[in-house]
Amino acid sequence: MPTVVDCPTCGKKVEWTEKNKFRPFCSERCKQIDLGAWAEEKYAIPAAAPADPLDDDKQ
């Protein structure tokens, strides 16, 4: 029995097989929507800003 996953874009159930060339997505459309979200920087990893070495408050 093949593994079934949810499409990250639309949530549709997708079989994880070599026949599905868009995996983990259900279609080319969902794949392109996800790529567009990355290009628009909608996905981000939260991080603290690095300390500014020129900051005068440390004197």
Side-chain angles (χ1 to χ4, degrees):
M1 177 175 254
T3 301
V4 177
V5 298
D6 294 334
C7 173
T9 303
C10 71
K12 181 179 175 182
K13 299 291 184 193
V14 180
E15 285 188 5
W16 189 279
T17 63
E18 289 191 29
K19 291 191 312 183
N20 179 5
K21 63 181 180 177
F22 305 115
R23 65 179 182 244
F25 304 98
C26 66
S27 65
E28 176 72 16
R29 179 180 180 271
C30 282
K31 182 179 172 183
Q32 292 299 321
I33 289 170
D34 187 73
L35 179 62
W38 278 104
E40 293 176 4
E41 298 182 0
K42 290 185 178 180
Y43 302 130
I45 298 172
D52 187 354
L54 302 177
D55 191 4
D56 292 331
D57 293 342
K58 295 181 182 179
Q59 291 181 356

